[in-house]
Amino acid sequence: MLLETVVLISGIISGLIIFQAAINAPLIFKTLPMEHARPLIRSIFPILFKVVAVLGVAMLALALWYGTSPVAIGVSVVTVVLASTCAALIPATNRAADNDNESRFHRLHQASVVLTVAVLLANLGWLFFR
């Protein structure tokens, strides 16, 4: 039962990331003018990263408490660290966008995308290596 809970949390994390990246963000940018889309996206992403980090902490706590696989523990740690890093990058990314510093914005945004994809792949892939 415990392993199933850890797997469920990992699936929720994956689902949140896929929903935000594949459905929510593109839909917002496609349907809303930029002056409305930007504040909405800026309110969603901090919440997303914090929720993913908290779910990662829950996953880690369960994995440590009940001694599940070392891979589950590693994925949990990766999830917490990378999601927290993404959350920490948001203020600098927003400042770069506000100051029209396109190169800095693109670097920070790309870093956030790469870290988010790493969290997604870790949470989707660990089940094959447990």
Side-chain angles (χ1 to χ4, degrees):
M1 180 70 174
L2 171 71
L3 182 59
E4 290 83 3
T5 304
V6 173
V7 170
L8 176 64
I9 293 170
S10 191
I12 291 169
I13 290 167
S14 299
L16 286 169
I17 292 170
I18 291 168
F19 176 76
Q20 179 58 24
I23 298 170
N24 205 33
L27 185 63
I28 289 169
F29 282 120
K30 188 179 243 184
T31 59
L32 294 177
M34 188 55 76
E35 65 267 12
H36 298 295
R38 182 178 275 178
L40 181 57
I41 288 292
R42 285 183 176 193
S43 66
I44 291 172
F45 273 100
I47 294 168
L48 171 71
F49 292 133
K50 289 174 188 172
V51 167
V52 168
V54 167
L55 288 170
V57 168
M59 193 171 142
L60 178 60
L62 288 171
L64 288 173
W65 184 264
Y66 292 101
T68 61
S69 85
V71 176
I73 294 168
V75 169
S76 301
V77 170
V78 165
T79 298
V80 172
V81 170
L82 297 186
S84 299
T85 302
C86 287
L89 288 174
I90 289 173
T93 305
N94 290 344
R95 274 193 307 277
D98 293 343
N99 295 331
D100 293 323
N101 188 341
E102 289 184 32
S103 65
R104 181 165 171 78
F105 171 80
H106 288 297
R107 279 194 319 272
L108 291 167
H109 181 263
Q110 188 65 33
S112 179
V113 168
V114 167
L115 295 176
T116 303
V117 169
V119 170
L120 175 63
L121 293 176
N123 279 278
L124 287 175
W126 77 273
L127 298 174
F128 298 105
F129 301 104
R130 57 186 175 104

